[in-house]
Amino acid sequence: MATTRIETAPGLSPLWHEGRGPLAILPPLLFRDRRPWLAILVGWLLTIVGSIALSTAIDHFVPGNPGPDLGDTSGPVKLFLVAGFSPVVETLIMAGVLSLLLRWLSGWQAVLASSALWGIAHSLASPWWGAVIWWPFLIFSTLYVTWRPRGFWWAVGVVVAVHVLQNLFPAILLVMGD
């Protein structure tokens, strides 16, 4: 007689065992460290849809607000800076900040603080830009905290992949606008 084995869904990553606070409204998949490709796909869909919605709303209420100024560089350089260099550097900085925040805060508190700090930092370059940027960094920070127990490079790799995908479309638009 054959027995059927029923497997339960993978549990939450260890840093979420204390709770997810207000982040519990996000899809449960973001808090599981089992399928990196799926985390990257869902993370990217959440970041891009949220960013488009926020930027559309801001453009509706504050038309003509300037985006970030990337200077007088060539299209290929802009593409590299926005979709290659920036995601790697910002993810490494975010990892350091989250490592410090996690010493004093729970996972969800560290994620909220990290996304707020990134929103403020991007607002320094362009005031309304930070209002759009906090959302992707909320997802990036959530993914980092989720994947960090698997290893530093796992966490950085998942976040960099989502971040590159998030920045790729705007980078292509920048290059095409040149």
Coordinates of all heavy atoms in Angstrom, one line a residue, residues 11 17 28 45 59 62 79 83 89 114-115 121 147 154-155 165:
G11 N 8.2 27.2 5.5 CA 8.0 28.2 6.5 C 8.7 29.6 6.2 O 9.4 29.7 5.2
H17 N 10.3 35.1 12.2 CA 9.6 34.4 13.3 C 9.0 35.2 14.4 O 8.0 34.9 15.0 CB 10.5 33.3 13.8 CG 10.8 32.2 12.9 ND1 11.6 31.2 13.1 CD2 10.3 31.9 11.6 CE1 11.6 30.3 12.1 NE2 10.8 30.8 11.2
P28 N 3.0 36.4 1.1 CA 3.8 35.5 2.0 C 5.1 35.0 1.3 O 6.1 34.8 2.0 CB 2.9 34.3 2.3 CG 1.5 34.9 2.1 CD 1.6 35.9 1.0
L45 N 7.8 42.3 -9.8 CA 6.4 42.8 -10.2 C 5.9 43.7 -9.1 O 5.2 44.7 -9.5 CB 5.5 41.5 -10.3 CG 5.7 40.7 -11.5 CD1 4.9 39.4 -11.4 CD2 5.4 41.4 -12.8
D59 N 2.7 62.4 -10.4 CA 2.7 63.3 -11.6 C 1.3 63.9 -11.8 O 1.2 65.0 -12.3 CB 3.0 62.4 -12.8 CG 3.4 63.3 -14.0 OD1 4.1 64.3 -13.9 OD2 2.8 63.0 -15.1
V62 N 1.3 66.6 -8.8 CA 2.4 67.6 -8.9 C 3.0 67.4 -10.3 O 4.1 66.9 -10.5 CB 3.5 67.3 -7.8 CG1 4.6 68.4 -7.8 CG2 2.9 67.0 -6.5
L79 N 22.8 53.9 -19.0 CA 22.2 52.6 -18.9 C 23.0 51.8 -17.9 O 22.5 51.2 -17.0 CB 22.2 51.9 -20.2 CG 21.6 50.5 -20.3 CD1 20.1 50.5 -20.0 CD2 21.8 49.8 -21.6
A83 N 21.2 50.9 -14.4 CA 20.7 49.5 -14.4 C 21.8 48.5 -14.0 O 21.5 47.3 -13.7 CB 20.2 49.0 -15.8
V89 N 25.8 48.8 -6.0 CA 26.3 49.7 -4.9 C 25.2 50.0 -3.9 O 25.4 49.8 -2.6 CB 26.8 51.0 -5.5 CG1 27.2 52.0 -4.4 CG2 28.1 50.7 -6.3
S114 N 14.7 51.3 6.9 CA 15.6 51.2 5.7 C 14.9 51.9 4.5 O 15.5 52.8 3.8 CB 16.0 49.8 5.3 OG 16.6 49.7 4.1
S115 N 13.6 51.6 4.3 CA 12.9 52.1 3.1 C 12.7 53.6 3.3 O 12.8 54.4 2.3 CB 11.6 51.4 2.8 OG 10.7 51.5 3.9
A121 N 17.0 59.8 1.2 CA 18.3 59.9 0.5 C 18.0 60.3 -1.0 O 18.6 61.2 -1.5 CB 19.1 58.7 0.6
W147 N 16.3 36.7 2.9 CA 17.3 35.8 2.4 C 18.6 35.9 3.2 O 19.5 35.0 3.0 CB 17.6 36.1 0.9 CG 16.5 35.6 0.1 CD1 15.3 36.3 -0.2 CD2 16.4 34.4 -0.5 NE1 14.5 35.4 -1.0 CE2 15.1 34.3 -1.2 CE3 17.3 33.3 -0.6 CZ2 14.7 33.1 -1.9 CZ3 16.9 32.1 -1.3 CH2 15.6 32.1 -2.0
W154 N 23.5 35.3 -1.0 CA 22.2 34.9 -1.4 C 21.3 36.2 -1.3 O 20.6 36.5 -2.3 CB 21.6 33.8 -0.5 CG 21.9 32.4 -0.9 CD1 22.8 31.6 -0.4 CD2 21.3 31.7 -2.0 NE1 22.8 30.4 -1.0 CE2 21.9 30.5 -2.0 CE3 20.3 32.0 -2.9 CZ2 21.5 29.5 -3.0 CZ3 19.9 31.1 -3.8 CH2 20.5 29.8 -3.9
A155 N 21.4 36.8 -0.2 CA 20.5 38.0 0.0 C 20.9 39.1 -1.0 O 20.0 39.7 -1.6 CB 20.7 38.5 1.5
L165 N 16.3 44.6 -12.5 CA 15.0 44.6 -13.3 C 14.2 45.8 -13.0 O 13.6 46.4 -14.0 CB 14.2 43.3 -12.9 CG 14.8 42.0 -13.4 CD1 14.1 40.8 -12.7 CD2 14.8 41.9 -14.9

